[in-house]
Amino acid sequence: MIGIVDYGAGNLNSILKAFSYLKLPARLVTSPEQISKLERLVIPGVGSFGAALAELRHRNLYPAVINWLKENRPFLGICLGCQLLFEKSEEAPEETGFSIFPGSCRKIRAAKVPHMGWNLVKIIRPDPLFSELDSAEYFYFVHSYAVFELMGHALALTYYGSHFVAAVKFGRIYGVQFHPEKSGPAGLKLLYNWGTKC
């Protein structure tokens, strides 16, 4: 069973519908007791870095998520959920993220912010997450912050004003800055790969 963390924000219904279409059992989770019974965990993302962490703490979900990550269990962070895997964000400098990956999310410096719409994602490191996808695919983005420092954990990059990290991996922990649930066939294929191969 895939659990989608409900912290009062995010794109929950679209992700549930995507997993349902793929015939991958998924449910919303609202308590730490539910998290302990899952096989896979997703934190989706629409919202702000600081507010998301505060809400996870308020709902007593934060310790369960931290334990899950420490145990290197299958995890997917989407958009804001990906950013939470890093140490810091300019959006909430006083907060500390899950710190699975080094580095900080910074505000996008481009002519138009937020970065919204389809953009090319270039895979720089082969991984089962991208199985049967081309080396460059279009995915859908909606975000104002990103990680610009290239690191050894990066799987894919996107260019918008400058290059930023589009996908990362550490063990069985993945993060994607784009929204696969809004990205048509390529996004569905990526979600299926994660749910069956990663």
Side-chain angles (χ1 to χ4, degrees):
M1 177 66 71
I2 298 168
I4 300 167
V5 177
D6 181 358
Y7 58 99
N11 193 36
L12 305 179
N13 287 332
S14 295
I15 297 167
L16 275 173
K17 287 179 182 177
F19 283 128
S20 175
Y21 177 82
L22 294 168
K23 295 180 170 54
L24 296 175
R27 59 173 295 187
L28 295 180
V29 294
T30 57
S31 72
E33 293 76 20
Q34 290 173 318
I35 288 177
S36 65
K37 299 172 184 176
L38 299 169
E39 297 167 356
R40 295 173 175 271
L41 193 65
V42 178
I43 292 188
V46 175
S48 70
F49 193 91
L53 289 169
E55 196 61 32
L56 286 169
R57 293 190 189 100
H58 176 71
R59 297 180 182 219
N60 201 31
L61 293 166
Y62 185 91
V65 173
I66 288 291
N67 287 339
W68 184 284
L69 295 170
K70 284 181 178 178
E71 293 171 3
N72 191 31
R73 300 179 70 187
F75 179 92
L76 178 63
I78 296 173
C79 194
L80 176 60
C82 175
Q83 294 176 15
L84 292 173
L85 292 170
F86 289 85
E87 294 170 313
K88 291 284 186 180
S89 175
E90 283 185 349
E91 189 174 23
E94 73 286 355
E95 288 281 5
T96 299
F98 298 140
S99 300
I100 299 300
F101 302 106
S104 178
C105 305
R106 293 187 284 116
K107 192 168 181 67
I108 294 170
R109 272 73 173 177
K112 188 177 180 182
V113 180
H115 173 213
M116 184 181 299
W118 295 86
N119 205 341
L120 194 64
V121 172
K122 293 186 177 181
I123 300 165
I124 60 171
R125 188 155 60 99
D127 190 86
L129 186 69
F130 297 107
S131 178
E132 298 180 46
L133 289 169
D134 291 338
S135 60
E137 292 272 6
Y138 280 90
F139 290 93
Y140 190 82
F141 291 82
V142 183
H143 64 121
S144 298
Y145 295 83
V147 173
F148 295 91
E149 298 85 5
L150 181 58
M151 67 193 75
H153 300 297
L155 297 179
L157 300 176
T158 295
Y159 185 86
Y160 187 73
S162 57
H163 283 100
F164 64 84
V165 176
V168 286
K169 174 189 179 181
F170 177 77
R172 302 193 74 183
I173 300 168
Y174 287 84
V176 292
Q177 182 58 68
F178 49 85
H179 286 271
E181 76 282 3
K182 295 183 177 181
S183 297
L188 289 172
K189 180 61 180 172
L190 184 143
L191 288 175
Y192 182 80
N193 288 341
W194 176 77
T196 59
K197 300 179 180 181
C198 297

